[in-house]
Amino acid sequence: MINLIGTFNVKPSLPENLEPLREIANNLYWAWNTDATDLFLRLDRKLWKKLNHNPVQLLGKVSQERLLEVSKDDGFVSHMNRVYLQMEVYLNEVTWYQKNFETHDKPYIVYFSAEFGLAESLQIYSGGLGVLAGDHLKSSSDLGLPLVGMGLCYREGYFQQYLTADGWQHERYENNDFYNQPMKLIKDKDGKTLKLSLKFPGRDVYFQIWKIDVGRIPLYLLDTNVAENSLEDRDITKTLYGGDNETRIQQEILLGIGGMRAIHALEILPLVCHMNEGHSAFLSLERIRHLIKDHGLTFNEAKDIGFFSNIFTTHTPVPAGIDVFPNSLMEKYFGRYYREELGIGDKEFYKLGTIIKEREPSEFNMAHLAMNMAGFVNGVSKLHGKVSKKMWVEGFKEIPFDEIPIDYVTNGVHTYSHLSGEMHELMLRYIGERFDTDIDDKKLWERIEDVPDEELWRTHERRRERLIAFARRRLKEQVKERGGSKSELNAANEVLDPSALTIGFARRFATYKRGNLIFRNLERLAGILFHSEKPVQIIIAGKAHPKDDEGKRIIQEIVNYAKGHNLRKRIVFIENYDMNVARYMVEGCDVWLNNPRRPMEASGTSGMKVIANGGLNFSVLDGWWDEAYNQDVGWKIGNGEEYADIDYQDEIEANVIYDVLEKEIVPLFYDRGSDNLPRGWISMMKSSMSQLAPVFNTNRMVKEYFNKFYLNSYERRKLLMQDKWREGKKFSAWKSMIYQNWDKISCAGIEFNNGSEHKVGEENRVTAKVFLGDLTIEDVDVQIYYGKFDEIQDSENNKFVSMTPVSTSDDKVVTYEGVIECEDTGKFGFTIRVVPKHSLLINPFELGLIKWAEPKS
């Protein structure tokens, strides 16, 4: 190893009148501004593509002669000044947040994620979770939220995929050159790189902080690749989702605990913290430690206060997708931390990592930690909210299923980042300039009807043609890289048809996504693809996890099908799926196919990206499509069935795919009039765009997060902070008192007309005597819980009504009265329940306490 004695940085040398290029390149606003990307293309088209669309590296690599040339080109300078003005206007205009809420000098919302997909040149993401996180930041910028992002800076990022001649996936890891990216190191007051440290077993681990400007939003990334660390510790931030379980816990300590320490070092007041998946859940422990150390609170006080300002979004529909650490590993990394920093014992600590309170935990579940520490928990689609409740129902015993405190916010996409430049221009021309600011305005999208069918179709056709050209080019590159023959290269020029119905399928090749489902009956598929008058073609892309051999086998199977004589020319597999490949596909495909095994798709966002581009969805009723589908906007696979026999399911749903293609999709696409326009298809395109585009975007999503969670968290945190945390301490004491006295509550003396009949519109009056012990009527809510007798176990059909205290006896028994409104006919049943009540409670079940009346024996 060579020992360096010094370092220095070199930056691009720009002619003075081109200095705005530097500012444009260093703010990722360019990533969703097509005028800006066109500017870099204009500077050097070949180099721009070669450098994977990295503007900072482009400015350093382009020749000085070319820079001098364009500095004298009035057209280029005018183009640059226009983009620079657009960016300045964007950064300084009054935003949605400023118009509607109290403004703040400093951000107070911190959004934590293990990955961020912002641009293809910045390889710190693996797939949908990262792109969603990046889109969350972009829409937060558009809306002007007081938010910052926090993540990790992976030196290698996620792997680059390449396939062998027989179609087997291999992985190649490439170093990210952060000094040639739109990011900069944070300096301290003396101008030196700011470095912080964490205590790991037997050593300190140091990290530095990089900053990326995402429009108005700063994203901070933590990096352990510093001289003060051992080689082993420098590798903590080497690879995204790489290494073993110990690497994972080290990364998650850095993200959660290191992220909170970085936020404090940056003098940002983190009033609200949003955990995008459970990877960052350790931040909740660090927030407790901070309140104990700096504000003198007890562990319980700090925990109760922190609960209200943590938000946890889960993306997984299966327990296997959650990080779980053995207690032995937790003890290694947290033994000192929980004893000395949190001041608690082992039993109390390990219970934080499980929602199953009656069992001693042998492992520490990161999703459970996040749920125990977050007042707001949500899934990422309406269906996923229900799936999450089912997955974790064991932690909410006695609470009716529909009242389990897990909400949902359906995912979206940052439309501007995934919309083709041509379609964007068309929308501006017919919808107007508000298209660039009010993407979630339904009334605005109704104007899509004003777009002439001819223009919409020609715009979409041009993008399909470019997709086909791109696919051919990439296929030729793939053949060359693996030493293919001249005949294979010639064949690559002939694949696909620019005018044929084009289906796109691109995603992570996990087995539940069933990437090979459409190949189940090759003879029938070939008949569809090679129809003499109505041809169909499929473009496929995606990566399997490096350790997922079954996913790799599916890719190999598809690649071999694509090479076979019976399907060649109609199927292409594009290697190394990334944001650039996705861009061509979502902009150019006619149909986006998605066939996961329901209900395994938490949300899915790839299909949302085709909507504004005029693409149509053909999907299983899972994730977002379960709430988006109607027959005017796309097609469904099945009716939402769930199967025990998965082989039978695959057979049934593969046949549904063939049937719908043959009977509905293909005929509609090729139903042309004398003008050769598929009017019926275009009508469906317009319905999809007008109905779905204003809903399934991240501007709507982020507004929903803000109104549902961020604002409530912020207001509660501010209240609890008052008078040196006086309100917080009072609330914590109230919770402790409730826990101590809850078991003393009992219901007795319930009076009602058993078996009596009532007419619709009448009231059924119920009286109950409730022993509260040392609790008061202000501490509880006594409710009548009722529903149809035969359906009472299906809680979604039940209702409840609060009862009114009317008298209190000397023995602490309170008499309550309530009425059931008889709104429907039939036989009904009811019972009485008691739940905690406090103005600060987000929901009555967050304490996990409920007392049901005991039936008479």
Side-chain angles (χ1 to χ4, degrees), residues 288-359:
I288 291 172
R289 188 196 72 85
H290 173 73
L291 291 176
I292 293 171
K293 180 184 176 185
D294 292 359
H295 297 278
L297 301 181
T298 66
F299 173 81
N300 283 331
E301 288 170 345
K303 177 175 174 287
D304 293 340
I305 289 168
F307 177 85
F308 287 104
S309 55
N310 291 328
I311 296 143
F312 169 50
T313 297
T314 174
H315 292 260
T316 180
V318 290
I322 296 166
D323 286 331
V324 176
F325 300 117
N327 284 357
S328 57
L329 192 60
M330 289 296 297
E331 189 66 27
K332 177 179 178 179
Y333 282 90
F334 282 92
R336 185 202 62 81
Y337 187 92
Y338 73 72
R339 291 185 182 92
E340 297 178 13
E341 303 284 0
L342 303 182
I344 59 175
D346 57 349
K347 288 188 177 180
E348 190 170 7
F349 176 71
Y350 287 109
K351 281 191 175 182
L352 298 176
T354 180
I355 57 172
I356 315 300
K357 301 304 180 186
E358 61 272 14
R359 290 204 302 262

Side-chain angles (χ1 to χ4, degrees), residues 681-745:
W681 188 277
I682 295 168
S683 176
M684 187 175 274
M685 287 170 65
K686 288 184 173 182
S687 294
S688 172
M689 294 169 85
S690 63
Q691 293 182 41
L692 305 183
V695 178
F696 296 99
N697 64 76
T698 43
N699 277 35
R700 183 275 311 160
M701 181 192 82
V702 170
K703 284 181 182 179
E704 205 168 326
Y705 272 113
F706 186 84
N707 289 318
K708 265 189 172 184
F709 304 146
Y710 294 165
L711 189 58
N712 284 330
S713 291
Y714 169 73
E715 289 175 344
R716 280 178 168 81
R717 182 78 174 195
K718 292 289 285 185
L719 177 62
L720 294 169
M721 290 172 64
Q722 288 179 7
D723 298 329
K724 297 182 178 178
W725 306 94
R726 181 173 61 88
E727 291 299 322
K729 292 175 181 178
K730 281 173 57 179
F731 178 72
S732 185
W734 176 84
K735 277 183 68 175
S736 178
M737 182 267 295
I738 292 291
Y739 280 124
Q740 290 171 13
N741 288 278
W742 194 256
D743 287 341
K744 300 174 185 176
I745 295 175

Side-chain angles (χ1 to χ4, degrees), residues 57-88:
Q57 198 171 16
L58 176 70
L59 296 183
K61 293 283 188 181
V62 72
S63 69
Q64 288 299 125
E65 290 80 8
R66 178 58 180 160
L67 288 171
L68 287 171
E69 179 184 350
V70 298
S71 72
K72 298 172 184 176
D73 181 338
D74 290 342
F76 182 89
V77 173
S78 176
H79 188 172
M80 177 194 70
N81 288 334
R82 181 174 72 246
V83 171
Y84 185 67
L85 179 61
Q86 289 170 356
M87 187 176 76
E88 288 294 299

